[in-house]
Amino acid sequence: MYSASEHTPMTDSEFRMFCELIRNHCGLHFTPESRFLLEKRIARRMEELSIGSFAAYHYLLRSERDGGEEMANAVDELTTNETYFFRELSPLRALVNEIIPGCRARHDRPVSIWSAGCSSGEEPYTILMLAREAGLEPGKDVRVYASDISRRVLG
């Protein structure tokens, strides 16, 4: 059986091929500094599937139609799902105490905020809690939309 600890290291060309494939599929960007992370996480998927080479796994991902199930599994493996309440509190306070009221003063409609890559959603909940604390009414003054690319955290 294949083991991630036994794999041949990813070549420079394989690294570039994975980076391009993943960036084109979902916009995730890996730099040379994040190569170790990409290689280790891809190797975990390869071990689960008993695939012995990066080239073979790349071929599998590339050959799937419409993004495919395995590409979704790879994206889940490659994303870091860090989330918590009151994360980066200073910018969030500026958002609800200055930016949203400023936008509301210029336009008579709710301010829409998209919290992208928010994992299981603690950041958008934080925005709404701080908005209520600042006297803003969700739905009337502010609307928060949340999304994440990882099926694992959304499921």
Side-chain angles (χ1 to χ4, degrees):
M1 179 171 203
Y2 173 78
S3 170
S5 60
E6 299 171 4
H7 77 274
T8 303
M10 185 181 279
T11 66
D12 290 343
S13 62
E14 289 169 334
F15 175 70
R16 286 190 302 272
M17 290 185 333
F18 274 104
C19 287
E20 182 180 348
L21 179 67
I22 294 161
R23 185 180 56 249
N24 289 341
H25 175 74
C26 63
L28 290 176
H29 177 74
F30 290 90
T31 64
E33 293 78 26
S34 58
R35 179 177 179 153
F36 178 77
L37 178 128
L38 177 107
E39 184 173 339
K40 285 297 185 193
R41 291 183 178 183
I42 292 288
R44 282 197 301 240
R45 280 303 302 154
M46 290 167 48
E47 183 173 356
E48 289 178 28
L49 299 170
S50 297
I51 295 176
S53 74
F54 287 106
Y57 186 64
H58 183 270
Y59 179 79
L60 171 66
L61 293 176
R62 199 184 57 202
S63 65
E64 288 188 318
R65 297 196 189 282
D66 302 322
E69 184 70 19
E70 185 52 34
M71 180 60 87
N73 291 332
V75 168
D76 276 343
E77 192 67 44
L78 292 169
T79 54
T80 301
N81 303 309
E82 181 180 5
T83 185
Y84 50 91
F85 289 102
F86 301 98
R87 179 179 181 184
E88 305 292 334
L89 188 55
S90 182
L92 292 175
R93 287 201 187 280
L95 175 69
V96 299
N97 293 324
E98 299 170 32
I99 297 169
I100 294 172
C103 290
R104 289 285 293 140
R106 289 189 298 276
H107 306 285
D108 189 29
R109 63 179 185 263
V111 174
S112 295
I113 298 169
W114 177 24
S115 181
C118 64
S119 237
S120 55
E122 283 84 344
E123 290 83 2
Y125 279 113
T126 298
I127 293 169
L128 290 171
M129 287 187 282
L130 292 171
R132 291 198 66 125
E133 193 177 274
L136 300 170
E137 187 178 326
K140 179 181 176 230
D141 298 313
V142 62
R143 292 184 183 147
V144 179
Y145 301 90
S147 65
D148 198 277
I149 195 170
S150 174
R151 295 179 316 165
R152 184 182 312 148
V153 298
L154 297 176

